[in-house]
């Protein structure tokens, strides 16, 4: 019986991917852990490892194919007993000789479940890459699971079932553990698609139905990134009660401190940006107002241990939000170095899933594009997103006299289920204090 290799789910929300490149061809012998293909998701290009061993019998999906649905067969391995003809011919004489002198086989030992366990089963457990990732995150032993996938392979549903059973058996006083900075297992926070009741959507109207004549425009097909952005932003704007809070911040002291730092440490390759300083200030403000560093879940408010700051980076066809983890613990030079590396790899779609999935707070900075003021849509599961505008010379009143200062307008969009007005204002007050007195970030 042949074994099918299917399009893997490389993240909990992945629905389809592009098969960018094959690393194997028909007739190749593969083994578990071997890289066999590259898959493009809406955010990154990732390598796919083989789960089973065997010989490639057929590549069912060609390189460059777009929009391949998760679990669609993309290749097939030869059935049991079939192997590469060349390898079979080479091993035939040795196999025959071995058969003549082979001693009687002892019956295989029974496993704890009562079924015989072969050496191969003992040495490894068949599991999909996503299942392995979720098991590692949830501390689940794959060897103790019975897989429901092809050939007994452990799949995502098996991990979720195991996590659910463990959660049900836990004592009540442990039912709501504090959330760490690590990405939670899939069962910990049900996806909004699962939690939300289905609602009938009105049929989409064509442009012709809205009065735009056919042939007067060119239709550019939606790629996976644009589809994902459209779906997630629609869900967020429709389902989350947003409200904005805006404040003006004088940044002359910030600009001077930045210039002094860059001049003093230029020989060490340090080049701090205003954005780097905003990341640090936001992280410290979230530690001063920890109630704002939170996410809404159907089971309660998740209070995060660290300020994992996601930064919106514009790339071709959309944007992505790489994350500075535990930003409150890092200095400006480290934040600057990490941000430059993440942004560069984001533009070439080389980020790992854990580098752009999750986070606790978002920043979108359009000041370098000359935008003075804007309000962003919340990036779930974050409780807030900060929108930073351009710093510019503006007239201000100081000591009852007119003066000139460099002013930057900042807006936070808040999820009212998590952050109310007073809490959002307290966060902005703390953030402003760090930007207007940069030396406070060193304490």
């Amino acid at each position: 019986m042949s074994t099918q290799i299917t399009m893997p789910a490389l993240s909990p929300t992945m629905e389809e991917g592009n098969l960018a490149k094959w690393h194997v061809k028909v007739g190749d012998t593969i083994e578990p852990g071997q890289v066999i293909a590259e898959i493009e998701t809406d955010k990154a290009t990732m390598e796919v490892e083989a789960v089973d061993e065997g010989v490639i019998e057929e590549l069912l999906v060609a390189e460059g194919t777009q929009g391949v649905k998760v679990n669609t067969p993309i290749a097939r391995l030869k059935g049991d007993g079939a192997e590469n003809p060349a390898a079979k011919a080479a091993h035939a004489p040795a196999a025959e000789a071995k058969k003549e002198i082979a001693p009687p086989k002892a019956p295989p030992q029974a496993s704890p479940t009562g079924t015989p366990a072969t050496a191969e089963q003992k040495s490894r457990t068949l599991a999909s890459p996503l299942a392995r990732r979720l098991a590692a995150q949830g501390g689940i032993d794959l060897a103790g699971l019975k897989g429901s996938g092809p050939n007994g392979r452990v799949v995502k549903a098996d991990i979720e079932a195991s996590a659910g059973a463990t959660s049900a058996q836990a004592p009540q006083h442990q039912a709501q553990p504090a959330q760490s900075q690590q990405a939670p297992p899939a069962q910990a926070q049900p996806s909004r698609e699962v939690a939300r009741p289905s609602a009938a959507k009105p049929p989409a109207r064509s442009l012709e139905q809205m009065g735009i004549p056919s042939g007067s425009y060119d239709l550019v097909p939606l790629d996976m990134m644009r589809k994902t952005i459209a779906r997630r932003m629609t869900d967020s704007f429709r389902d989350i009660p947003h409200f904005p809070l805006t404040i003006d911040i004088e940044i002359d002291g910030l600009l001077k401190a930045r210039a002094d730092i860059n001049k003093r440490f230029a020989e060490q390759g340090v080049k701090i940006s205003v954005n780097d300083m905003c990341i640090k200030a936001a992280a410290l403000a979230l530690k001063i107002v920890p109630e704002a560093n939170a996410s809404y879940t159907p089971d309660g408010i998740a209070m995060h241990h660290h300020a994992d700051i996601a930064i919106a980076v514009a790339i071709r066809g959309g944007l992505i939000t790489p994350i500075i983890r535990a930003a409150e613990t890092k200095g400006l030079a480290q934040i600057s170095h990490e941000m430059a590396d993440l942004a560069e790899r984001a533009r070439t779609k080389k980020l790992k899933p854990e580098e752009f999935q999750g986070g606790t707070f978002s920043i979108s900075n359009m000041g370098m594009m000359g935008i003075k003021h804007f309000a962003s849509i919340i990036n779930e599961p974050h409780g807030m997103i900060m929108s930073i505008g351009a710093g510019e010379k503006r007239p201000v009143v100081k000591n009852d006299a007119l003066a000139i200062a460099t002013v930057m307008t900042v807006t936070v969009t808040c999820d009212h289920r998590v952050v109310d007005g007073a809490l959002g204002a307290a966060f902005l007050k703390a953030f402003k204090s760090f930007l207007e007195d940069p030396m406070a970030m060193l304490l």
Side-chain angles (χ1 to χ4, degrees):
M1 178 180 176
S2 61
T3 301
Q4 289 186 332
I5 299 174
T6 59
M7 171 65 78
L10 299 175
S11 73
T13 58
M14 178 177 165
E15 296 179 355
E16 62 183 24
N18 300 336
L19 206 161
K21 183 178 181 180
W22 280 111
H23 287 275
V24 294
K25 61 183 182 297
V26 173
D28 284 356
T29 300
I30 63 172
E31 57 185 22
Q34 178 181 342
V35 174
I36 60 173
E38 292 181 13
I39 303 296
E40 290 179 354
T41 68
D42 58 321
K43 300 292 187 182
T45 299
M46 288 175 276
E47 295 178 338
V48 175
E49 297 179 354
V51 175
D52 302 301
E53 62 183 10
V55 178
I56 299 291
E57 182 177 42
E58 185 178 3
L59 301 179
L60 303 174
V61 176
E63 283 188 2
T65 302
Q66 299 188 353
V68 182
K69 299 293 184 182
V70 167
N71 293 329
T72 298
I74 58 175
R76 183 167 57 243
L77 298 179
K78 291 185 178 180
D80 295 339
E83 63 175 308
N84 189 324
K88 185 174 182 180
H91 293 297
E96 290 298 325
K98 189 174 183 180
K99 185 186 299 183
E100 293 177 4
I101 62 173
K105 292 185 179 180
Q109 287 186 333
S111 68
T113 59
T115 57
T118 65
E120 182 181 2
Q121 289 172 328
K122 289 181 179 180
S123 64
R124 63 182 180 85
T125 300
L126 296 180
S128 70
L130 177 58
R132 291 184 183 279
R133 193 154 49 243
L134 294 177
Q137 293 169 356
I140 297 172
D141 184 8
L142 286 173
L145 298 184
K146 182 178 180 181
S148 60
N151 299 321
R153 179 185 306 175
V154 177
V155 295
K156 176 185 174 184
D158 303 320
I159 301 298
E160 292 177 340
S162 175
T166 302
S167 176
Q169 295 171 5
Q172 277 193 336
H173 69 277
Q174 294 180 350
Q176 293 185 6
Q179 180 166 337
S180 70
Q181 72 274 21
Q182 298 297 326
Q187 193 72 10
Q189 292 189 21
S191 68
R192 292 191 62 84
E193 289 77 9
V194 173
R196 185 187 305 117
S198 59
K201 295 182 180 180
R205 297 175 63 195
S206 68
L207 292 181
E208 287 74 16
Q209 290 174 316
M210 292 185 282
I212 299 178
S214 176
S216 66
Y217 59 89
D218 294 325
L219 193 63
V220 179
L222 296 172
D223 60 14
M224 285 192 300
M225 175 173 288
R226 187 52 58 185
K227 287 180 182 178
T228 301
I229 291 173
R231 185 188 72 250
R232 293 197 65 202
M233 293 299 98
T234 298
D235 289 348
S236 176
F237 201 76
R238 180 189 62 229
D239 298 333
I240 295 179
H242 291 64
F243 73 93
L245 296 172
T246 300
I247 196 170
D248 288 336
I249 302 175
E250 294 184 18
I251 60 170
D252 290 293
L254 179 81
L255 295 176
K256 183 179 185 305
R258 170 179 172 264
D260 290 344
I261 291 172
N262 287 342
K263 181 178 179 180
R264 180 172 180 178
F265 297 100
E267 293 183 358
Q268 300 178 26
V270 173
K271 190 174 182 181
I272 306 299
S273 69
V274 171
N275 199 56
D276 299 329
M277 301 181 85
C278 287
I279 294 171
K280 178 69 173 181
L284 293 176
L286 288 172
K287 298 307 290 183
I288 290 178
V289 189
E291 299 86 354
N293 192 33
S295 299
Y296 176 84
T297 80
D299 300 319
I301 305 301
M303 308 296 294
H304 300 295
H305 294 174
H306 290 286
D308 296 334
I309 310 295
I311 315 298
V313 174
I315 63 177
R316 184 178 180 181
L319 57 85
I320 191 171
T321 52
I323 301 166
I324 302 292
R325 302 282 180 182
E328 81 280 3
T329 67
K330 297 173 179 176
L332 288 172
Q334 184 177 357
I335 289 174
S336 177
H337 174 76
E338 286 189 19
M339 194 63 241
D341 174 61
L342 289 169
E344 176 61 28
R345 288 191 290 117
R347 296 186 182 99
T348 56
K349 290 193 172 185
K350 296 299 183 182
L351 290 177
K352 301 174 183 177
E354 59 269 24
E355 293 176 318
F356 62 83
Q357 291 178 355
T360 68
F361 181 89
S362 303
I363 292 179
S364 179
N365 188 345
M366 297 185 69
M368 65 285 293
M369 302 178 187
I371 303 300
K372 292 175 58 175
H373 169 249
F374 67 107
S376 302
I377 299 174
I378 286 175
N379 180 28
E380 289 189 278
H382 305 169
M384 292 192 297
I385 183 170
M386 174 182 287
S387 308
I388 300 175
E392 60 178 1
K393 297 289 185 181
R394 298 183 197 172
V396 297
V397 176
K398 293 185 178 181
N399 300 322
D400 294 329
L402 194 63
I404 300 295
T406 306
V407 178
M408 182 174 73
T409 298
V410 171
T411 298
V412 287
T413 306
C414 308
D415 179 349
H416 214 322
R417 301 170 301 176
V418 181
V419 179
D420 58 24
L423 192 58
F427 166 80
L428 277 179
K429 180 180 178 181
F431 178 75
K432 179 177 180 177
S433 70
F434 286 118
L435 288 197
E436 292 191 339
D437 183 14
M439 292 297 292
M441 285 193 269
L442 303 178
L443 298 177

